[in-house]
Amino acid sequence: MLAGARDLGYRLAVIASRSFPARRALRALVSPYRHLADRSGRVVGTADRLLSVVRVPGAYRRRSVAALGEFFFDVVDSQGVSLFVEAGAKEAAASQRALGLPGVRRAIAFEANPYTYRRFAGGVATTGVEYENLALDRGPGTTSFYVRLTHDGRPQADGQGSLHRRTDHPSGHEEVEIEADSLDRLVADRTDDRVAIWMDVEGATANVLDGAAELLDVTDALLVEVETSPFWAVDQWLVGDVVNAVAAHGLVPVARDLQSADQFNVVFVRRELLDDPGLAWAHARWRRSLG
């Protein structure tokens, strides 16, 4: 099965694009598939280099981001996902989109920034999304959350705060204490759900994934923003760390965008789905959308 999955994964990762630099960047996913036969279940090799991005025009980058989002929701729909979890939700746009799919019965969105939460809570309340002002971490308790400040010292309600201070933000941060818990505890009441996770947590990927081991074991599709450079003043996980961590739970990369050279999004699916016709259809549609 692993050899077959590896070969199909290789074919899925070859992107037909008229832009050679973009095609070369997107084909970076080919090599990790070649390592799927590793008995440890980990994606080995130089994942950081293989998943790095060449620089391409801004219009193509934006197009690739939108196309990857469409691909992810095609996967969610084709696999009959019933529980959608959004980590780092801002206005919970992904969760609202998910609830529009026929199979999704429940969407839970977590936004840790209290200013962002207050900005959007009223609107989200009418959508059916369960919108929670909580930080996702390794376990329960309270934690420091760093809200980015504007140049004139006002807290930003833009969803870009983090459990860590960003080193390249000159205006500084406001430190607030907020409630935190792990995804495993927060969604422990799931029963026979097929799960998808959308994750954009501004450098706190290690905290969230460490607290989601049980959930990842039953997750069919995961979209996560990753970095190739350490933007935060901590020992943050870079793309290779994320790839290896979720591989231990049976999730493998099948698509990515070109958001920027240092930060982009990757879609992972359960290894057993690599032979699934629904995934193949979604992947082919994604390739066509890239032109």
Side-chain angles (χ1 to χ4, degrees):
M1 174 61 189
L2 283 179
R6 177 191 61 207
D7 294 339
L8 179 59
Y10 180 95
R11 294 197 299 274
L12 288 177
V14 177
I15 312 303
S17 170
R18 296 187 184 96
S19 167
F20 178 73
R23 183 175 69 244
R24 183 173 62 187
L26 288 166
R27 287 183 65 177
L29 278 175
V30 169
S31 293
Y33 277 103
R34 293 173 177 169
H35 296 295
L36 287 180
D38 176 44
R39 292 180 180 231
S40 70
R42 293 168 63 83
V43 178
V44 297
T46 54
D48 289 285
R49 178 179 61 81
L50 293 167
L51 291 176
S52 64
V53 178
V54 299
R55 297 186 183 279
V56 297
Y60 194 91
R61 292 200 305 270
R62 291 188 292 273
R63 181 179 170 191
S64 77
V65 172
L68 189 74
E70 292 298 316
F71 168 67
F72 182 71
F73 284 109
D74 280 345
V75 174
V76 170
D77 191 21
S78 71
Q79 299 308 314
V81 164
S82 53
L83 172 61
F84 190 90
V85 177
E86 187 174 5
K90 196 178 177 181
E91 72 272 52
S95 294
Q96 294 179 55
R97 170 78 181 272
L99 278 182
L101 299 175
V104 177
R105 301 190 303 266
R106 185 183 183 195
I108 314 172
F110 298 97
E111 174 52 56
N113 186 328
Y115 298 100
T116 301
Y117 179 82
R118 288 197 290 270
R119 176 185 174 186
F120 293 111
V124 177
T126 66
T127 66
V129 173
E130 299 172 40
Y131 191 47
E132 304 287 348
N133 184 205
L134 286 168
L136 298 175
D137 208 342
R138 295 178 173 91
T142 59
T143 189
S144 294
F145 186 85
Y146 297 94
V147 179
R148 299 203 307 179
L149 299 176
T150 63
H151 68 280
D152 56 356
R154 291 180 291 116
Q156 293 182 304
D158 59 357
Q160 294 191 41
S162 176
L163 294 180
H164 311 297
R165 295 179 187 270
R166 183 149 176 164
T167 57
D168 60 352
H169 185 63
S171 300
H173 301 79
E174 176 186 334
E175 182 178 351
V176 296
E177 288 294 309
I178 57 173
E179 293 296 317
D181 210 338
S182 69
L183 272 176
D184 279 343
R185 285 172 49 88
L186 290 166
V187 295
D189 59 340
R190 64 184 183 276
T191 56
D192 299 323
D193 280 308
R194 300 195 69 174
V195 180
I197 303 173
W198 178 293
M199 185 179 301
D200 180 0
V201 291
E202 302 295 307
T205 311
N207 303 66
V208 179
L209 293 179
D210 275 349
E214 295 176 9
L215 188 64
L216 289 171
D217 283 339
V218 296
T219 294
D220 287 318
L222 165 70
L223 183 148
V224 58
E225 186 179 66
V226 297
E227 292 82 33
T228 62
S229 299
F231 298 143
W232 286 269
V234 294
D235 187 20
Q236 76 179 77
W237 281 5
L238 301 182
V239 56
D241 303 307
V242 174
V243 169
N244 281 329
V246 301
H249 298 279
L251 295 164
V252 294
V254 293
R256 47 96 48 92
D257 64 22
L258 300 171
Q259 178 174 288
S260 74
D262 300 313
Q263 192 175 46
F264 52 93
N265 300 283
V266 181
V267 171
F268 300 81
V269 301
R270 185 144 302 283
R271 185 180 286 112
E272 291 81 3
L273 297 179
L274 290 177
D275 293 318
D276 184 84
L279 176 63
W281 170 84
H283 208 281
R285 185 170 184 259
W286 173 60
R287 294 200 308 271
R288 289 193 300 271
S289 74
L290 293 171

